Amino acid sequence: MGTGERARPVVSTSDAVIALSRFGLGARAGDLGRIAADPRGAILAELAEPGILALDTPGLLPSADALVAIEDDIARRRAMRRQDRTAAGTSDKMAHAGDGMAAEGADKADDESAADRKPKYQRPLSATIYNDEVAARLDKARQVPIGFGERLVAFWSNHFAVEIKRGQPVRGLAGAFEREAIRPHVLGRFSDMLDAVAHHPAMLLSLDNARSIGPHSPLGLRRDRGINENYGRELMELHTVGVDGGYTQADVIQVAYALSGWTVGARKAPAAERGRFVYRGRWHEPGTRTIMGKRYRDTGVGQGEAVLHDLARSPATAHHVMTQFAAAFVADQPPPVLVDALVARFRDTDGDLGAVARTLVGHDAAWSAPRDKLRAPREFLLAGQRALGTPLPTGFALRALKTLGQTPWDPPSPAGFPTDTASWLAPDALEGRLQIAELMAQRDRGDSDPRAVLADVLGAVASTDTRETVARADSRQQALALLLMSPEFQWR
């Protein structure tokens, strides 16, 4: 790095850095100066931009179309494998039966047959759809002014986590799930988001409710099939009232009964049902349900919807969800005064998530908390992309996130990815971050002084040690990698 180059002046306020790191996706060149006069106002202005939460990249499929195409692709590939096995068996029989055929000719014929029947690898359609969804989010993350909306989407998508490890359909639907069940409601009501999530094929498939049949339903009695409690349990423990919300195992079973018959139109279903939410009355457990002391009449699909309505509005839900919300953005142990304000806003507005988001941004405790929360791997990668101004190829991003333990929509459990610092602070995890930082720096093709990049993305929060470390680096790439690994960049 040249010694004669001069770094730009450091932005004088740290609030702009907090706005872009604690609430956003990280600073790009010019961002700190652009919002320095009113960081809070800049965040709120971004939320008010028309279409700021939309992800309308051409070619992204609606969930119903994606699921139909994926199931057709699975069936086609399965048929091809059967044909390959049949052809292999026929070829083996012909080879052993070739009494009148010269040995050389037989070997040649067998070699040609093997070459003809050798299957050519084709990526499953679910993987292609998945990659397209990830690419769209990488592009969106580069373009947004601050990224608070995208951070909100990421929080709620993780709160209502689906797991792509549950099979190709979920892998191909994960992006559509976020676009259809999460994004439209990020600034709307929690109850509407919960309802959209519960009706979405990705959630019904990921948590097995699509196969849940009431044991005393007409189909259950005929096939001796039982209920699946997975979604009922996670709905209460994770999505709404929380593990300390006052429910029992009996309540979990009753919720599962209320949601029995909520499924997804299968490949051979009528065209209007394929790939969509379907209520099967013949699968539904008959009878009145009693859940957390309240009785719900058997009104078919309406029984489960009434349960969702009440869980969304439970005081326990407000406290559980808002505590997680504050912890994800501000601190692992968020200031009680902030949590209380968010809970009150949630309850007073009937779960208006836009009002909750604005309360978070407007509360002094959300800004004054120490910058001691580590960026999760996804936040680190996206912030690095914005800081360097170098688009990341989808394959590179997916490999990096897999290395760092946060492959998109592949959390370790239905609880989603952890948001606490300790979970991402293991020594091997930091070593992985260093490797990714070096690779990102090597990909950078810019020519700006790394000291100027540091001023652009860290401003006044950059310590003297960090500025000197970057300035003394042996090369531009090393300087950029050190910048990405600096405490001021890693912590928000």
Side-chain angles (χ1 to χ4, degrees), residues 148-373:
F148 184 47
E150 291 303 296
R151 288 283 305 282
L152 290 171
V153 170
F155 170 80
W156 291 113
S157 181
N158 192 54
H159 181 76
F160 295 108
V162 296
E163 301 174 83
I164 62 172
K165 65 175 68 71
R166 299 308 305 272
Q168 288 192 51
V170 180
R171 183 181 186 87
L173 289 181
F177 167 75
E178 182 203 275
R179 288 186 287 109
E180 297 166 352
I182 303 298
R183 285 181 180 270
H185 305 292
V186 161
L187 300 180
R189 297 203 182 280
F190 178 79
S191 57
D192 293 334
M193 185 184 290
L194 181 67
D195 188 71
V197 165
H199 286 82
H200 200 279
M203 181 59 71
L204 294 170
L205 292 168
S206 184
L207 286 177
D208 301 314
N209 207 85
R211 297 194 296 270
S212 186
I213 299 172
H216 301 102
S217 67
L219 185 63
L221 290 171
R222 186 162 67 87
R223 295 191 179 179
D224 191 26
R225 294 285 292 276
I227 202 75
N228 189 299
E229 302 172 14
N230 286 355
Y231 183 46
R233 178 179 299 104
E234 310 306 0
L235 172 63
M236 302 187 81
E237 178 180 333
L238 303 176
H239 299 170
T240 57
V241 297
V243 68
D244 298 322
Y247 67 90
T248 66
Q249 174 60 20
D251 291 320
V252 169
I253 296 173
Q254 291 295 301
V255 170
Y257 282 159
L259 296 174
S260 57
W262 290 39
T263 188
V264 181
R267 183 168 179 265
K268 295 183 179 179
E273 296 181 353
R274 286 187 67 191
R276 294 174 169 84
F277 169 82
V278 176
Y279 172 71
R280 303 287 188 204
R282 295 184 67 252
W283 297 19
H284 183 72
E285 180 72 5
T288 298
R289 312 265 73 86
T290 300
I291 299 167
M292 299 181 71
K294 181 170 181 177
R295 290 169 61 84
Y296 297 87
R297 293 186 301 109
D298 187 356
T299 55
V301 68
Q303 186 179 59
E305 290 172 342
V307 173
L308 292 172
H309 176 278
D310 288 344
L311 288 175
R313 291 166 172 82
S314 167
T317 295
H319 186 270
H320 171 64
V321 176
M322 288 298 96
T323 300
Q324 290 189 328
F325 186 72
F329 280 91
V330 179
D332 292 348
Q333 301 297 324
V337 65
L338 175 61
V339 175
D340 290 345
L342 293 172
V343 170
R345 193 63 170 160
F346 186 97
R347 296 187 63 181
D348 291 347
T349 62
D350 191 25
D352 184 331
L353 301 182
V356 164
R358 290 187 288 273
T359 297
L360 174 72
V361 173
H363 204 291
D364 288 346
W367 294 79
S368 60
R371 296 182 72 244
D372 58 3
K373 190 169 181 66

Side-chain angles (χ1 to χ4, degrees), residues 427-449:
D428 58 339
L430 293 181
E431 183 178 344
R433 288 188 186 224
L434 176 58
Q435 294 173 356
I436 300 304
E438 291 172 343
L439 290 172
M440 291 177 70
Q442 291 170 15
R443 296 192 63 85
D444 183 74
R445 295 294 180 267
D447 56 3
S448 58
D449 184 345

